[in-house]
Amino acid sequence: MRRTNRAVAVAAALALAVTACNANNSSPGSGSSSAAEQGGTWHILSTSKEISLDPAKSQNLATSTIHLVLRGLTSWKTSPDKGAELVPDLATDTGQVSADGKTWTYKLKPGLKYSDGSTIVAADIKYGVERSFAPELSGGLSYHKPLLVGGDKYTGPYKGQQLASIETPDDNTIIFKLNKAFGDWPWIVSMPAFSPVPKKADTDPTTYGEDPVASGPYQVKSYSPGSKLELERNPNWDKASDPARTGLPDSIVTDMGLQADVVNQRLVADSGDDQFAASTGAPVTAALIPTVTGNPAVKARVATSPSGALQFLAMNNKRPGLSNPAVRKAIEYAVDKQAVQVAQGGPEFGGEIATTLITPGIDGYSKFDLYPAPPAGDPDKAKSMLAAAGVSNLNLVLAADSDKLGVAQAIQQGLKRAGITVTIKPYEAEALTDLITGPKGDYDLTVQSWLPDYPSALGNIQPLFASSEIGNGGFNLSRYSNPQVDAAIAAATGEPDKTKAAAQWAALDKQILADAPLVPLIYARNAFLHGSKVQNFYLPPYPPYPNVLIVGLSK
């Protein structure tokens, strides 16, 4: 799962993704009346200085650029009005699970080939997963590592060892043996580490990511670190076998190391090749909003997500005063969520006011509000609830360079009306992380954002509320601990039936919020500019980023 920063949302959460056209009030491809066509060169204007296509080192979502080059066992299919749908990619289905939920079996589709014409076999996927355990290839998504039997001690294939819990009885079958039931495993195998890597091609692990053997619709034509990445068509990609990718452009060129303001200036101007361009890591900032809203032609080329990361006010449940649920519930009523929304750009660019822990677009989301109050809060109700509690002073910690200062000030003013004085304490980013995720927890309040790495309510609930995530680098910033909730999290995590699991997570959402460990603030939107010839782009509720696998261009 990932923390997000509103100012660098794309760079932090999807470094290789690109932006989209407005999905809030128009169909995919808005901003131009033309339809996407086969062909053309799509230009990505990126603030990133490095790009690695090594699946073992990647943290990118299943709708990002690395998946234009590499396929996995499963993939994601998106639509403008709902969260991502899991679809079989290299596999024939999304997995067959044993009765105890601990063994998952996949069969590969027939006739799959790499860009060099060689056949994709199950052993290549096993090897690709094994590489992700190697210390020299650290940094990638690692959900599978503690789940696979023996994964806690395995250190990769480069000294000749294999991971026995991944079996390949033939070229078309791969079996994963887990140490506990885990219903989200089909989502896990959509992650980059489950892309096939032929062992014979992995001659230098340190440079494999510069030109990996392609299984997707594109292959690397050239790569100049810090400057440019060029992708061209993979002649052996079989579109009929691929439900997730359209492969419309003939080529994709990423210009790297650009300044965010320069990217946006070029996209606002919309001239030359920039008509066929989109930005990466250059979201619409507060300073840019007047330019966008003041020009209808530019506004038509802004992509905004219907929902996004949950921005929240964590209340340290272990601190004096805040250990009292009545005090925390009073703060639920006191917070001026409307002011928070305005501080983040208003309803259109900031996001909708949040009342739940599970975010829209995730199975298990159900709209409810346990603490109904006017958008600006109910300070009188909060004041009456606080009268007997004796809480009058709290501190709120945040990063010194955080874009959340305006949010913190809005919270400060709202609680002041309820009789609580909030002192805002800025810290350097690293020091703040040590403080809020460390063992002592010497703080009262903090404002953070959180987005799951895949569309499961497990990602909304477990990292923020499981007792195991308190301190030691965990992100249970409320330091909330409830044995009944821990047991319910374990039960929902192991449930392989998608419908049953969603119901369990939905019940947990209400159960946890009844204890008021934190205040949901907004479902933070993402917003980005793109060129007028970029088509088939939209930002779904989840992931709140464009699906680059289906991009097309118009003439």
Side-chain angles (χ1 to χ4, degrees):
M1 319 308 170
R2 58 193 71 203
R3 289 176 285 174
T4 64
N5 183 321
R6 293 279 292 158
V8 291
V10 169
L14 188 55
L16 300 180
V18 293
T19 58
C21 60
N22 197 323
N24 287 338
N25 51 26
S26 51
S27 61
S30 62
S32 172
S33 60
S34 302
E37 300 179 4
Q38 191 87 11
T41 298
W42 174 33
H43 296 266
I44 302 174
L45 308 182
S46 173
T47 57
S48 298
K49 295 181 180 179
E50 295 182 4
I51 293 177
S52 174
L53 299 177
D54 191 317
K57 299 170 67 174
S58 176
Q59 293 195 14
N60 289 317
L61 303 180
T63 52
S64 60
T65 300
I66 192 171
H67 296 283
L68 290 168
V69 177
L70 304 174
R71 297 175 67 176
L73 285 171
T74 60
S75 190
W76 301 3
K77 198 170 185 177
T78 61
S79 60
D81 57 353
K82 62 181 181 180
E85 171 192 359
L86 190 71
V87 294
D89 193 357
L90 296 175
T92 57
D93 57 29
T94 57
Q96 298 296 316
V97 64
S98 60
D100 64 1
K102 296 182 179 180
T103 300
W104 288 85
T105 301
Y106 294 85
K107 295 282 188 178
L108 299 188
K109 295 171 182 174
L112 298 169
K113 295 185 180 299
Y114 291 109
S115 53
D116 63 4
S118 59
T119 301
I120 297 173
V121 296
D124 298 340
I125 296 173
K126 172 181 167 69
Y127 182 74
V129 177
E130 289 175 337
R131 299 176 74 247
S132 69
F133 286 84
E136 56 265 51
L137 296 176
S138 63
L141 295 173
S142 59
Y143 295 92
H144 58 288
K145 294 180 181 179
L147 290 170
L148 287 164
V149 174
D152 56 335
K153 297 179 181 179
Y154 185 63
T155 57
Y158 296 118
K159 294 182 180 179
Q161 300 95 337
Q162 294 189 28
L163 186 58
S165 55
I166 305 177
E167 300 177 356
T168 53
D170 57 56
D171 284 349
N172 299 313
T173 306
I174 186 165
I175 301 169
F176 300 98
K177 295 189 174 182
L178 313 184
N179 53 41
K180 66 178 180 179
F182 191 79
D184 283 343
W185 187 255
W187 290 107
I188 301 302
V189 300
S190 72
M191 294 179 178
F194 290 81
S195 299
V197 177
K199 185 176 181 178
K200 64 181 181 181
D202 190 25
T203 56
D204 184 353
T206 63
T207 60
Y208 183 79
E210 295 180 5
D211 187 12
V213 181
S215 50
Y218 298 94
Q219 60 186 357
V220 175
K221 180 181 179 181
S222 68
Y223 175 56
S224 300
S227 178
K228 184 175 293 186
L229 170 68
E230 294 183 276
L231 302 181
E232 62 183 1
R233 289 196 181 279
N234 169 6
N236 288 302
W237 172 64
D238 178 17
K239 184 176 182 179
S241 72
D242 194 333
R245 302 162 184 81
T246 58
L248 289 174
D250 287 332
S251 59
I252 300 172
V253 176
T254 300
D255 290 320
M256 302 162 57
L258 302 175
Q259 295 296 317
D261 56 346
V262 172
V263 169
N264 281 320
Q265 289 169 9
R266 288 173 56 175
L267 292 172
V268 166
D270 193 42
S271 62
D273 285 344
D274 289 342
Q275 295 180 45
F276 303 89
S279 75
T280 299
V284 173
T285 61
L288 195 60
I289 289 176
T291 299
V292 168
T293 56
N295 187 329
V298 175
K299 188 175 181 180
R301 295 187 286 104
V302 174
T304 55
S305 62
S307 183
L310 177 69
Q311 188 174 102
F312 60 90
L313 173 68
M315 299 180 281
N316 188 340
N317 293 196
K318 305 298 184 184
R319 296 281 279 184
L322 291 174
S323 61
N324 183 347
V327 172
R328 301 197 302 269
K329 291 177 182 180
I331 293 174
E332 297 274 1
Y333 286 107
V335 170
D336 186 345
K337 295 185 181 182
Q338 188 174 58
V340 169
Q341 185 184 54
V342 170
Q344 291 293 74
E348 185 174 7
F349 294 101
E352 292 186 4
I353 288 175
T355 60
T356 66
L357 305 174
I358 300 174
T359 46
I362 304 287
D363 283 345
Y365 168 75
S366 177
K367 189 174 182 179
F368 67 89
D369 188 355
L370 295 186
Y371 306 98
D378 191 340
D380 293 333
K381 183 179 181 71
K383 190 177 293 185
S384 66
M385 295 174 69
L386 289 167
V391 175
S392 58
N393 295 282
L394 296 171
N395 66 67
L396 190 158
V397 299
L398 77 168
D401 60 348
S402 173
D403 65 314
K404 296 182 178 68
L405 177 59
V407 173
Q409 291 171 336
I411 292 168
Q412 182 184 50
Q413 292 302 312
L415 295 188
K416 183 178 181 180
R417 291 195 292 271
I420 296 177
T421 298
V422 174
T423 301
I424 298 173
K425 293 186 175 182
Y427 287 80
E428 293 301 318
E430 186 174 346
L432 177 69
T433 298
D434 291 342
L435 173 66
I436 62 178
T437 66
K440 294 183 179 180
D442 188 18
Y443 62 94
D444 295 324
L445 309 171
T446 188
V447 176
Q448 298 292 330
S449 297
W450 190 258
L451 181 74
D453 283 319
Y454 62 95
S456 168
L458 168 67
N460 294 112
I461 300 297
Q462 190 272 345
L464 301 184
F465 304 105
S467 298
S468 61
E469 301 306 305
I470 297 174
N472 298 313
F475 214 65
N476 183 343
L477 305 183
S478 302
R479 300 187 178 245
Y480 170 79
S481 181
N482 183 331
Q484 292 180 329
V485 166
D486 290 336
I489 289 173
T493 299
E495 177 55 64
D497 184 283
K498 183 178 178 181
T499 302
K500 291 180 181 179
Q504 292 175 11
W505 291 120
L508 268 164
D509 196 341
K510 292 182 179 179
Q511 181 181 357
I512 294 168
L513 267 179
D515 291 337
L518 58 72
V519 182
L521 299 174
I522 61 172
Y523 308 118
R525 297 191 195 278
N526 287 336
F528 306 93
L529 276 163
H530 67 90
S532 58
K533 302 298 185 181
V534 176
Q535 306 296 335
N536 282 4
F537 270 73
Y538 53 83
L539 278 67
Y542 185 93
Y545 302 101
N547 182 353
V548 308
L549 309 185
I550 59 174
V551 63
L553 305 170
S554 60
K555 294 182 179 179

